[in-house]
Amino acid sequence: MIIILKQGVTAEEKNNIKKTLKEKGFIVKEIIGKEDTVLGAVGTVQVDPRSIEILDGVSSVVPISKPYKLASRELKKEDTIVSVRNVKIGGSRIAVIAGPCAVESEDQIMRIAEKVREAGAVILRGGAFKPRTSPYSFQGLGEEGLKYLRKAGDAFDMPVTTEIVSPKDVELMKGYIDMFQIGARNMQNFELLKEVGKTGMPVLLKRGLSATIEEWLMAAEYLMASGTDQVVLCERGIRTFEKATRNTLDCSAIPVVQKLTHLPVIGDPSHATGIRDMVSPMALALIAGGASGVMVEVHDHPEKALSDGPQSLYPEQFERLMRDIEALAPVVGKAVEKTPRRIPEAMKEDYKAEEGSRSSDTVAFQGERGAFSELVIRRTFNEDQTVLPCKEFKDVFDAVAKGKAKYGVIPIENTIGGTIYENLDLLNVEGNITVVGEAQLRVIHNLIVNPGVKMEDIKRVYSHPQGLAQCREFLSENLPDAAQIPFYDTSGAVKYIKENRMMDAAAIAGDAAAAHYGLEILKPSIETNPKNYTRFYVISRSENAEFFRSAGKINRASMTFSTPDKPGSLFVVLDILQKHGLNMKKLESRPILGKPWEYSFFVETELEDRHDLDSIIPLLKENTVTFRILGTYTAAH
Ligand code: PEP
Ligand code: MN
């Protein structure tokens, strides 16, 4: 049952409720949500809910209708985000797990780990205990395999996961791995689930070969009832009458499961299809269907693999798949989870301190809570990142420059609205601010109302002028008579209709704004043009730049300069870029403040290597009046 606590419940009352429940024989879990704090009480005992309802601090008691309780969305509305060391699975992230089916030798796992890490996988997989259909097939290297897997994970800074097949191996494996994998054949091995659950460690739970979704969630319940709340579900194909593929990938299980449970769900297209050429398209299908990631088998010599060679991707195929996933991510409103680049030994201590403080650092953005920029922060940093909402773009720059925030996130350009010049100008002015990262967001507008408001009730629609303009077709077709009222901010409009309890109005904003203010999305995705993307910069003071940049390969540079007032002076600069093979991606000119009819230029270029740029800076400086690199970073697309 779910015990909803009163707002303002005291710590003493809460402890007393927990104690009473435990004495009655319940397992108790506390869940702190956005609106309420609830206690989940599960167990074999039966009590009259009224005996709990009368306790001080209890608001109400609701039974959970599903047979799985701790795993159920009824108990916990918000998505669970599972942490496997510093890798997050769930929410608006896409995590890619890759590696060979089995660890075959130290050399093999090291080679493949390096390849998948380079391409962008965040967790390394590799079986050490293989549950094979035939007793005469390769059974895995056992503890020796665990050692090699750990070594490869450490060498390439990746958490590792491997399958456990026997409860007696829990203690041994705990010391080597970061996430247990329960294989399809063991999904209902309840003794194994109980022992693994007791460790409290993250678990990847595969769906059984012929398990229903409910049976699968009951298996997750076993893990959770035994002591872990870090469970990732993995759809890996089920057995049907179809013989063309190894199993039948049940893509529709993804949205079904997401409705029923708060746990993240990923997919395994390798075991689902059993055929290499089908792995990448099905991986993309899983991501498009809403999966929080994929687990893919990769082998550099699949023809010699000791297991599952025919379904293992070549490293080049995996690299291509990663690029496709990167391109698909913003379409489904997600960001690909990344691990920082390898940190040199000498920097490791500093890095640890930095990682520890990262989530407690503040990131500034312009707008009200729930704004699109806040969504970008949650994806680029952490879901629980501390944020600083600012009134104006200038305030974001100020907050970063003065150290009130370590980073800022600012929009630079929208595919429909064009460049946001104010931010280019601010970058030009603020000398100590540098661009350290880039992010991309697909802008999805929704019609948001107070609960209970219907289409026919709506007389006014509030949003930022861009929001109203971008939904013109929907508004003229569906709400031709409603007044369109421009507002300073999309999420501010949501806040406004909520605070004034307006039952005859709607706001247009992103889903984060609806979620933040607890309002209802009456019509999702009402923007006229679905190819509506905004590109953001992550800015920081120069001294904080390096750590953020360590997240990926630096392949983009932004710079600003002014040129002498003579023929061809811009051409000379562009010629230098061209001669050094720097492909220009964007060029803007802006008036220089206080110098009428003089302009500065803003340029973005591709970068093969950061040193390419260093070597031509003196040349660029010689041929310009003012010149500054605004930042080098990893492009978001
Ligand atoms: C595996 O991941 O290597 C594996 C054996 O998968 P499944 O349990 O899904 O068959
Ligand atoms: Mn396999």
Side-chain angles (χ1 to χ4, degrees), residues 143-405:
E143 184 170 3
E144 195 189 346
L146 295 175
K147 281 189 185 148
Y148 300 154
L149 183 66
R150 178 77 270 159
K151 195 166 172 193
D154 288 346
F156 297 100
D157 266 335
M158 300 169 89
V160 299
T161 184
T162 194
E163 179 168 353
I164 180 162
V165 293
S166 164
K168 71 174 180 5
D169 293 334
V170 168
E171 283 309 310
L172 168 78
M173 292 177 78
K174 249 169 59 179
Y176 289 109
I177 63 169
D178 304 298
M179 173 161 68
F180 284 102
Q181 181 181 323
I182 303 276
R185 288 155 197 81
N186 274 310
M187 189 204 82
Q188 282 187 317
N189 181 340
F190 300 118
E191 291 314 308
L192 182 64
L193 294 172
K194 283 192 230 168
E195 284 308 308
V196 170
K198 272 190 214 160
T199 63
M201 282 170 63
V203 185
L204 183 76
L205 177 65
K206 294 273 194 104
R207 181 177 181 183
L209 279 79
S210 30
T212 64
I213 288 173
E214 186 165 295
E215 286 163 343
W216 187 16
L217 293 176
M218 289 307 288
E221 188 74 12
Y222 260 96
L223 289 167
M224 297 183 83
S226 312
T228 182
D229 49 11
Q230 301 283 293
V231 179
V232 178
L233 299 162
C234 181
E235 161 62 40
R236 47 79 72 202
I238 47 175
R239 185 159 289 182
T240 67
F241 51 82
E242 183 52 65
K243 292 277 185 298
T245 47
R246 183 173 173 181
N247 290 288
T248 300
L249 177 64
D250 184 6
C251 253
S252 56
I254 304 285
V256 172
V257 163
Q258 280 168 336
K259 263 207 152 37
L260 298 174
T261 178
H262 51 87
L263 297 171
V265 55
I266 69 166
D268 169 351
S270 306
H271 293 88
T273 61
I275 305 160
R276 180 175 307 124
D277 289 350
M278 295 181 187
V279 171
S280 293
M282 289 304 101
L284 295 172
L286 284 157
I287 305 279
S292 291
V294 284
M295 174 150 107
V296 184
E297 287 184 343
V298 179
H299 203 296
D300 55 352
H301 295 288
E303 61 294 342
K304 294 200 197 122
L306 298 180
S307 59
D308 288 348
Q311 70 192 33
S312 299
L313 292 184
Y314 287 100
E316 309 79 69
Q317 289 178 305
F318 177 66
E319 210 238 306
R320 217 170 310 137
L321 171 63
M322 282 307 300
R323 278 194 272 143
D324 289 346
I325 293 175
E326 191 75 55
L328 179 58
V331 178
V332 290
K334 291 190 178 147
V336 179
E337 178 75 342
K338 306 235 163 60
T339 27
R341 260 191 315 182
R342 208 130 49 104
I343 307 298
E345 224 22 78
M347 271 173 77
K348 276 228 159 111
E349 279 314 304
D350 294 349
Y351 180 74
K352 269 194 205 126
E354 174 72 13
E355 265 299 287
S357 65
R358 216 184 222 198
S359 60
S360 61
D361 288 328
T362 301
V363 186
F365 69 98
Q366 185 275 330
E368 292 280 355
R369 295 296 310 274
F372 287 112
S373 300
E374 185 181 346
L375 203 58
V376 172
I377 295 174
R378 306 253 165 253
R379 286 183 201 159
T380 313
F381 292 82
N382 285 304
E383 299 283 339
D384 56 356
Q385 186 70 43
T386 315
V387 292
L388 176 68
C390 298
K391 233 181 151 47
E392 316 256 347
F393 288 131
K394 177 156 194 353
D395 304 332
V396 178
F397 281 82
D398 266 0
V400 177
K402 294 192 179 125
K404 273 192 273 172

Side-chain angles (χ1 to χ4, degrees), residues 19-259:
K19 192 162 147 263
T20 312
L21 289 164
K22 282 183 190 158
E23 277 166 8
K24 288 184 191 287
F26 285 106
I27 300 170
V28 182
K29 291 258 149 102
E30 179 173 344
I31 293 146
I32 303 171
K34 279 215 182 83
E35 306 266 301
D36 314 295
T37 298
V38 305
L39 297 178
V42 296
T44 48
V45 279
Q46 298 289 335
V47 294
D48 183 345
R50 283 171 300 183
S51 68
I52 308 298
E53 222 151 28
I54 54 165
L55 297 176
D56 287 340
V58 174
S59 164
S60 58
V61 175
V62 187
I64 302 174
S65 63
K66 298 283 190 305
Y68 40 89
K69 313 285 179 190
L70 297 171
S72 141
R73 270 244 190 245
E74 288 175 54
L75 177 65
K76 183 168 180 265
K77 302 218 166 12
E78 278 123 45
D79 289 345
T80 288
I81 293 169
V82 169
S83 296
V84 187
R85 289 217 268 155
N86 58 351
V87 173
K88 303 268 196 307
I89 307 178
S92 53
R93 284 140 201 282
I94 295 170
V96 178
I97 304 172
C101 178
V103 180
E104 298 167 1
S105 68
E106 179 174 341
D107 190 42
Q108 174 248 20
I109 190 71
M110 287 298 234
R111 281 191 328 260
I112 299 174
E114 181 171 15
K115 293 259 162 61
V116 297
R117 172 73 161 88
E118 187 67 19
V122 283
I123 298 178
L124 180 66
R125 65 150 285 151
F129 298 92
K130 296 303 299 174
R132 305 305 300 279
T133 306
S134 161
Y136 309 117
S137 301
F138 174 60
Q139 304 286 309
L141 295 181
E143 184 170 3
E144 195 189 346
L146 295 175
K147 281 189 185 148
Y148 300 154
L149 183 66
R150 178 77 270 159
K151 195 166 172 193
D154 288 346
F156 297 100
D157 266 335
M158 300 169 89
V160 299
T161 184
T162 194
E163 179 168 353
I164 180 162
V165 293
S166 164
K168 71 174 180 5
D169 293 334
V170 168
E171 283 309 310
L172 168 78
M173 292 177 78
K174 249 169 59 179
Y176 289 109
I177 63 169
D178 304 298
M179 173 161 68
F180 284 102
Q181 181 181 323
I182 303 276
R185 288 155 197 81
N186 274 310
M187 189 204 82
Q188 282 187 317
N189 181 340
F190 300 118
E191 291 314 308
L192 182 64
L193 294 172
K194 283 192 230 168
E195 284 308 308
V196 170
K198 272 190 214 160
T199 63
M201 282 170 63
V203 185
L204 183 76
L205 177 65
K206 294 273 194 104
R207 181 177 181 183
L209 279 79
S210 30
T212 64
I213 288 173
E214 186 165 295
E215 286 163 343
W216 187 16
L217 293 176
M218 289 307 288
E221 188 74 12
Y222 260 96
L223 289 167
M224 297 183 83
S226 312
T228 182
D229 49 11
Q230 301 283 293
V231 179
V232 178
L233 299 162
C234 181
E235 161 62 40
R236 47 79 72 202
I238 47 175
R239 185 159 289 182
T240 67
F241 51 82
E242 183 52 65
K243 292 277 185 298
T245 47
R246 183 173 173 181
N247 290 288
T248 300
L249 177 64
D250 184 6
C251 253
S252 56
I254 304 285
V256 172
V257 163
Q258 280 168 336
K259 263 207 152 37

